Amino acid sequence: MGRWALAEIDIVRRAYAKQVLAAADVRNQMLEDAFATVAREAFLGPGPWPILRWGRGYVLSPNDDPVYLYSNDLVGIDPLRNLNNGQPALHALLIDRAGPQPGEHAVHIGAGVGYYSAILAGMVGPSGKVTAIEFDPQLAARARENLHAFEQVTLLQGDGAELEFEPADVIYVNAGVTHPVPRWIDRLRDGGRLILPLTTRQGFLGGGVTKPEDGKPIERRGAVFRLRRRGDEFDACWISPVAIFPCEGARDQEAEVALSAALDRGGWEQVTRFYRGKDMPQKNTCWLRTKNWCLC
């Protein structure tokens, strides 16, 4: 543990967990406990670490003291690609809205180096399971090593839009998509929740910061929705704006054009339902509509 005694780093992690949940305006004791007990430094490799400082790009932490990782900051895992271990408060908000419970099966698409897969494992507990999926082979290898102590986690390398997995209570997508992949919808159990970040081409850009090419604010570049299965029907609600790394296997130009137009119109907070196929309602009730699915 280096210069930190065990009790001291435990205090730092608990304070971090409380600050992260407060920043997300979330009250969830199971989630706080998961953030307080999963060691972030165990997933990010040896320090010093590249920490994204807005307006300055990536700045190395002063040294390898893990205390520098326990803040609500993005930490670069591949700075050359602007690929980060995501902002803890945003993940806290989205995981809270997904509501994983002990004994459930959570699927994490876009697992990166596995840190938030471990948070999900803390939520579902030893009686639950987590299927973590990562497209990038090098990141998947890191995640597999990082998660080896979490017996309820299985790491799969491949395209999260194509890989098969068992029916899930939570599908947590951590990459920007233009549409809900049919396999994800089909594999949701009754009552299951899908966290879906819908993003336009302005949803994530280079240079170490996320900023739109055309001056659009973040609210008009990407939006995270939760879909909840109720038998053959699906409730939907908007959670937050988002700028996030794109999902390799779930980008469609037609859907992206429709999404961009919907974000320009606004009104995402009024979305309450998701439909697909023959069940789609009249066009004038839809906030976002493609030939195969719609949000209304």
Side-chain angles (χ1 to χ4, degrees), residues 225-242:
F225 291 89
R226 183 189 65 196
L227 309 186
R228 184 193 300 268
R229 184 170 204 140
R230 304 288 191 186
D232 293 330
E233 299 182 346
F234 295 86
D235 298 337
C237 68
W238 175 83
I239 303 174
S240 76
V242 71

Side-chain angles (χ1 to χ4, degrees), residues 168-192:
D169 302 286
V170 169
I171 300 176
Y172 185 45
V173 181
N174 278 168
V177 305
T178 57
H179 58 284
V181 173
R183 176 173 285 103
W184 301 344
I185 301 297
D186 293 339
R187 303 309 282 172
L188 270 184
R189 288 178 172 145
D190 193 18

Side-chain angles (χ1 to χ4, degrees), residues 54 202-216 221 243:
W54 298 109
Q202 289 90 19
F204 185 92
L205 296 175
V209 297
T210 53
K211 57 183 180 181
E213 295 168 343
D214 56 4
K216 287 184 180 179
R221 290 182 280 146

Side-chain angles (χ1 to χ4, degrees), residues 6-60:
L6 181 60
E8 293 174 324
I9 197 65
D10 286 346
I11 292 169
V12 169
R13 290 186 185 129
R14 180 61 64 176
Y16 156 78
K18 289 182 178 295
Q19 292 288 349
V20 163
L21 267 66
D25 194 21
V26 165
R27 294 163 181 81
N28 184 324
Q29 190 61 53
M30 285 197 307
L31 185 56
E32 179 186 315
D33 290 345
F35 270 99
T37 55
V38 175
R40 200 178 187 191
E41 66 272 20
F43 292 82
L44 296 178
W49 300 276
I51 298 175
L52 187 57
R53 304 298 187 190
W54 298 109
R56 294 189 289 153
Y58 292 100
V59 178
L60 283 178

Side-chain angles (χ1 to χ4, degrees), residues 23-293:
D25 194 21
V26 165
R27 294 163 181 81
N28 184 324
Q29 190 61 53
M30 285 197 307
L31 185 56
E32 179 186 315
D33 290 345
F35 270 99
T37 55
V38 175
R40 200 178 187 191
E41 66 272 20
F43 292 82
L44 296 178
W49 300 276
I51 298 175
L52 187 57
R53 304 298 187 190
W54 298 109
R56 294 189 289 153
Y58 292 100
V59 178
L60 283 178
S61 60
N63 52 50
D64 63 355
D65 188 332
V67 71
Y68 294 112
L69 297 177
Y70 290 103
S71 62
N72 187 31
D73 289 307
L74 297 166
V75 179
I77 55 178
D78 189 345
L80 292 178
R81 290 194 289 160
N82 301 304
L83 186 59
N84 305 305
N85 183 244
Q87 188 173 39
L90 176 61
H91 282 272
L93 173 64
L94 300 183
I95 293 173
D96 177 70
R97 297 299 186 269
Q101 299 297 311
E104 289 191 329
H105 177 208
V107 176
H108 186 194
I109 296 172
V113 294
Y115 175 64
Y116 295 104
S117 303
I119 299 291
L120 289 169
M123 298 286 286
V124 302
S127 63
K129 60 182 176 179
V130 175
T131 301
I133 300 174
E134 174 52 47
F135 180 83
D136 184 284
Q138 292 183 329
L139 293 182
R142 289 178 63 181
R144 180 174 287 108
E145 176 63 24
N146 292 339
L147 292 164
H148 75 276
F150 295 82
E151 295 182 357
Q152 72 270 55
V153 180
T154 299
L155 191 287
L156 303 177
Q157 189 276 315
D159 187 344
E162 297 292 338
L163 288 178
E164 293 287 348
F165 51 81
E166 295 179 9
D169 302 286
V170 169
I171 300 176
Y172 185 45
V173 181
N174 278 168
V177 305
T178 57
H179 58 284
V181 173
R183 176 173 285 103
W184 301 344
I185 301 297
D186 293 339
R187 303 309 282 172
L188 270 184
R189 288 178 172 145
D190 193 18
R193 293 80 67 197
L194 167 64
I195 300 299
L196 187 71
L198 296 175
T199 61
T200 67
R201 66 186 180 89
Q202 289 90 19
F204 185 92
L205 296 175
V209 297
T210 53
K211 57 183 180 181
E213 295 168 343
D214 56 4
K216 287 184 180 179
I218 187 173
E219 290 85 354
R220 297 188 184 277
R221 290 182 280 146
V224 186
F225 291 89
R226 183 189 65 196
L227 309 186
R228 184 193 300 268
R229 184 170 204 140
R230 304 288 191 186
D232 293 330
E233 299 182 346
F234 295 86
D235 298 337
C237 68
W238 175 83
I239 303 174
S240 76
V242 71
I244 194 170
F245 205 81
C247 181
E248 295 285 349
R251 308 294 302 178
D252 174 81
Q253 186 173 6
E254 179 186 351
E256 186 167 338
V257 169
L259 173 62
S260 184
L263 290 170
D264 282 343
R265 289 193 304 271
W268 45 77
E269 71 281 355
Q270 299 175 32
V271 169
T272 60
R273 297 292 298 276
F274 166 78
Y275 299 91
R276 61 175 177 164
K278 61 182 177 61
D279 297 324
M280 290 166 62
Q282 295 296 316
K283 186 174 181 179
N284 61 4
T285 68
C286 298
W287 175 73
L288 167 59
R289 187 183 183 95
T290 73
K291 63 183 179 182
N292 296 318
W293 62 277

